[in-house]
Amino acid sequence: MKTRHPEFGIPLNRIVYTGKSILILAVFLFASEFNMKAQKTKDVEIVLECVEYIGNGTYKANFGYDNPNKTDVVVPDTNSTLIYDGGNKKLKALHNFKSGRQVNAFQGVFTSNERVLWHVILPNGTVKDVTASINSNHCTGQSNIYPYYTPPPGGKLSNTVIGPELTSLYNSYVATGSATSDYIFQIKNGAVLIEVGAIGGYYNTVLNLLVQSLGFVVESQDVTDNKVTGWFPIANLMSLNNYSSSIEYAQPVFQTIINNSGLAIDLGDFSMRSDFLRNGYGISGKGVKVGVISDSYNSKGVASVDVANGDLPGTGNIDGDFQQVQVLKDYPYTFTPLSDEGRAMLQIVHDIAPGADLAFRTGYIDPSDMAAGIDELADAGCNVIVDDITYITEPFFRDSPISQAIDSVTAGGVSYFSAAGNFGTKSYSAVFTPYTGKSVRGIAGTPHDFGGGDIYQSISLVEGDYIIVLQWDDDSNAKNDYDIYLSDVSGTTLFGFNRDNLGKEPIEILPFTVKGGNATTNIVISRAAGTDNSRLKYVVFRGDISINEYNTGTSTIVGHADAEGANTVGAVKYDNTPYYGVNPPTIASFSSRGGTPVNGVVRQKPDFTAPN
């Protein structure tokens, strides 16, 4: 009987062990082992984990993979690439795949208009592809979204005069004994600046109660609209809830948004060719008086330096321009120095029209005081008035007291110019569509159907502070009550700061903060009371947001910038103008767009664009 090789079945008496045959056998054994291992190697599966917004219209795709083998799998670096828009751009990608499931192994950056493909050719020739775009699954990250102050349970506070903002401030003040100013609250000496709205016919009663019994110090009054603004002791805030029969609401005076103008430099002068007209035709602005409304003129105390170096006229001006800037009213609170943006604007005016007389009036206290300031500048002889202010609580769909003041002075011959705003297209508007599906956990009332039965509108957020303001087309004594929340797709509401709006102003304000990186969440809008399918609109006044879906009604020119009598001015980067070879000029991406109807009519805004 013949003995055979135990592995290959070859008769041992027929094997001749020469040096050459041993080498051939070794090669044969190595090749056999390699082929068996190659046959057993499993495919690596590549994965798009999620995409996240990182600001400035760009996104980050987070890729991962699953290597089920016990050893690493390596492909040539030319066999793992990121391919943009069908091949317009290619970048090398991860090509060493460690064993196991690897989450967020590497990232690729793309814009909202791009699609990026991760293309991998494995050692056995198998091709793996996965694509990322703005419509891909967005990273959740709700854990790093925080309410700016403590929200009420369930996201809504009913049966209250002072609302969730001032309730939170009171509770915090009682617990800590202190409070400081921020972009929600203006605080001094234990008092907060608030606006109080009286129920019709009770204005004098409310005013006497506030001043004589509750320690209120008046700053401005709007008797026509039954509103008064002033400083109220934080420790007394809860007592206002006892007077719901005469007080409609009390709310903090939210600080204005004044990021609507640029620095005092001459590049805009060149790009407008106003230097050419001024020097060629001897036009200096003499005989014209220009009034500026902004935050402050001299809260930093250095206006005399600008006068001395020729940036502004006045005593000691190096160019002999000794006409004083007329300051009708500066920002009065020295405990909170501002940026003196108004003085910067006056420097620009003086550069362009050095012969013009100049005046300043703060508009930073509250909307009623700004409206009064417009009248005061007109009464002081201003032919031209300009402002760079946005009040987030001004009505979107109706003319505000500021708008009415603008229309009044322009009817008398004043030319009024208002900054369009720096809010780009960060807005959503649509007619409320009731959701007809099953009730939704965590959302009171009837949710808004953004489209196709979807009540969740995906938004992406970068790290920072946010203010979103929701309004709806309704009377100042609202017949409908809408609420706004942040929520995840499971129906778990993150938070809201809603109040009962029936018979009150149709507005809700949602402030929050994103910390520790970027995040993606959802907007949910609900009709808590009423039957009208109102036109809804929210505007993002603070924060870098991307609205990922159902992006309709993106106009952000609202409030007095949408006034009929205002010459509303959008922004063009100074070097994107014909003077620098760009014709037509290109609108800056941050410049607010028009299209919001006021009293049912869309006004064609902006009226002008100008260099910033």
Side-chain angles (χ1 to χ4, degrees):
M1 187 173 78
K2 297 178 180 178
T3 302
R4 295 179 176 271
H5 189 283
E7 184 173 357
F8 301 106
I10 303 173
L12 291 177
N13 64 351
R14 296 181 60 183
I15 297 177
V16 181
Y17 290 97
T18 65
K20 184 176 181 180
S21 63
I22 291 174
L23 178 61
I24 293 172
L25 178 61
V27 172
F28 174 77
L29 292 173
F30 176 80
S32 299
E33 182 178 6
F34 178 83
N35 288 334
M36 284 188 291
K37 286 184 176 180
Q39 291 172 1
K40 294 178 181 178
T41 299
K42 298 178 181 179
D43 284 353
V44 174
E45 299 297 332
I46 62 175
V47 178
L48 171 65
E49 310 286 0
C50 59
V51 300
E52 58 182 302
Y53 182 61
I54 58 176
N56 297 321
T58 59
Y59 290 77
K60 178 170 67 177
N62 296 288
F63 295 102
Y65 61 86
D66 184 14
N67 177 6
N69 303 289
K70 294 182 179 180
T71 59
D72 293 358
V73 173
V74 181
V75 303
D77 59 5
T78 55
N79 283 8
S80 179
T81 53
L82 290 179
I83 303 173
Y84 290 78
D85 289 340
N88 291 333
K89 180 174 67 174
K90 293 184 179 180
L91 299 175
K92 293 181 179 179
L94 182 144
H95 63 96
N96 187 349
F97 300 90
K98 297 180 180 180
S99 178
R101 177 71 167 94
Q102 306 295 329
V103 178
N104 295 337
F106 86 104
Q107 291 76 38
V109 176
F110 63 98
T111 70
S112 58
N113 297 321
E114 291 179 316
R115 294 171 62 86
V116 56
L117 171 74
W118 185 18
H119 179 72
V120 178
I121 304 175
L122 297 175
N124 62 4
T126 301
V127 175
K128 299 290 183 179
D129 290 327
V130 64
T131 302
S133 73
I134 189 175
N135 296 316
S136 301
N137 178 49
H138 285 258
C139 306
T140 53
Q142 281 90 348
S143 60
N144 62 334
I145 303 176
Y146 302 90
Y148 194 76
Y149 46 83
T150 304
K156 185 161 186 171
L157 192 61
S158 299
N159 302 317
T160 177
V161 167
I162 66 174
E165 304 96 343
L166 295 176
T167 299
S168 175
L169 175 65
Y170 170 81
N171 291 333
S172 174
Y173 185 78
V174 169
T176 64
S178 64
T180 57
S181 295
D182 53 26
Y183 69 80
I184 301 296
F185 306 112
Q186 300 183 63
I187 309 290
K188 74 168 182 177
N189 301 326
V192 58
L193 189 65
I194 66 172
E195 178 184 274
V196 179
I199 294 175
Y202 287 92
Y203 179 81
N204 290 328
T205 301
V206 169
L207 182 61
N208 290 334
L209 168 71
L210 293 172
V211 174
Q212 297 177 11
S213 302
L214 298 176
F216 186 72
V217 178
V218 176
E219 279 292 348
S220 67
Q221 299 185 54
D222 182 357
V223 179
T224 302
D225 290 328
N226 297 309
K227 298 176 183 178
V228 60
T229 296
W231 298 94
F232 193 88
I234 300 173
N236 294 346
L237 281 170
M238 295 300 286
S239 63
L240 291 174
N241 288 332
N242 299 326
Y243 302 100
S244 59
S245 60
S246 56
I247 299 178
E248 181 179 309
Y249 68 88
Q251 66 183 17
V253 177
F254 295 88
Q255 292 197 24
T256 64
I257 306 294
I258 57 164
N259 58 354
N260 298 332
S261 62
L263 298 175
I265 55 179
D266 289 329
L267 296 173
D269 190 21
F270 299 151
S271 62
M272 290 190 299
R273 302 308 303 271
S274 47
D275 61 326
F276 176 80
L277 290 173
R278 185 173 58 251
N279 297 325
Y281 292 91
I283 299 172
S284 68
K286 187 174 178 60
V288 175
K289 188 172 184 178
V290 180
V292 166
I293 297 178
S294 187
D295 60 345
S296 58
Y297 176 76
N298 195 27
S299 72
K300 295 181 179 296
V302 294
S304 59
V305 175
D306 292 335
V307 172
N309 64 25
D311 283 333
L312 286 174
T315 303
N317 179 280
I318 193 173
D319 300 318
D321 295 326
F322 300 136
Q323 180 68 32
Q324 299 286 339
V325 175
Q326 183 182 9
V327 180
L328 276 66
K329 182 178 181 179
D330 205 347
Y331 184 70
Y333 312 131
T334 57
F335 64 91
T336 307
L338 300 179
S339 65
D340 291 346
E341 187 75 16
R343 195 169 78 252
M345 293 167 66
L346 286 164
Q347 291 177 26
I348 295 174
V349 174
H350 189 58
D351 284 343
I352 295 171
D357 292 332
L358 303 178
F360 174 81
R361 209 298 191 165
T362 184
Y364 201 71
I365 296 173
D366 68 8
S368 297
D369 186 69
M370 178 173 168
I374 293 171
D375 291 333
E376 291 171 15
L377 286 169
D379 291 342
C382 291
N383 313 98
V384 177
I385 301 176
V386 58
D387 82 78
D388 69 338
I389 282 179
T390 296
Y391 273 103
I392 67 173
T393 55
E394 282 191 83
F396 295 169
F397 300 107
R398 299 287 186 271
D399 282 315
S400 71
I402 300 176
S403 298
Q404 293 166 13
I406 291 172
D407 291 345
S408 175
V409 299
T410 54
V414 173
S415 295
Y416 195 100
F417 295 84
S418 184
N422 287 355
F423 313 114
T425 57
K426 296 185 291 186
S427 177
Y428 167 81
S429 183
V431 174
F432 177 77
T433 302
Y435 175 67
T436 57
K438 296 180 180 179
S439 61
V440 180
R441 179 169 57 90
I443 303 296
T446 303
H448 172 54
D449 185 345
F450 285 94
D454 191 354
I455 68 169
Y456 302 103
Q457 183 187 40
S458 174
I459 58 172
S460 296
L461 310 164
V462 300
E463 189 170 351
D465 294 326
Y466 289 80
I467 292 182
I468 300 178
V469 176
L470 171 70
Q471 296 191 27
W472 52 99
D473 194 353
D474 207 335
D475 296 333
S476 57
N477 298 316
K479 300 180 180 66
N480 304 276
D481 181 15
Y482 290 91
D483 299 329
I484 184 170
Y485 304 88
L486 295 184
S487 178
D488 63 23
V489 293
S490 71
T492 301
T493 303
L494 295 181
F495 49 80
F497 301 95
N498 302 291
R499 64 168 75 198
D500 182 359
N501 297 96
L502 290 179
K504 302 174 184 177
E505 300 285 343
I507 181 173
E508 296 289 5
I509 299 171
L510 181 63
F512 59 93
T513 298
V514 178
K515 298 180 180 179
N518 304 323
T520 297
T521 185
N522 298 285
I523 294 284
V524 175
I525 299 172
S526 177
R527 186 178 64 195
T531 58
D532 294 339
N533 295 333
S534 307
R535 175 163 291 280
L536 309 169
K537 185 175 189 63
Y538 71 72
V539 176
V540 183
F541 286 110
R542 186 185 297 270
D544 191 355
I545 190 174
S546 178
I547 301 171
N548 299 322
E549 55 186 356
Y550 315 117
N551 201 359
T552 61
T554 58
S555 61
T556 54
I557 294 179
V558 293
H560 69 269
D562 214 4
E564 187 172 11
N567 294 296
T568 306
V569 186
V572 173
K573 194 168 182 290
Y574 74 91
D575 55 358
N576 286 340
T577 57
Y579 180 80
Y580 289 91
V582 180
N583 196 13
T586 54
I587 306 299
S589 60
F590 61 80
S591 185
S592 290
R593 271 63 169 175
T596 301
V598 181
N599 300 321
V601 178
V602 174
R603 294 165 178 168
Q604 298 303 308
K605 302 288 182 178
D607 301 275
F608 299 93
T609 57
N612 72 323

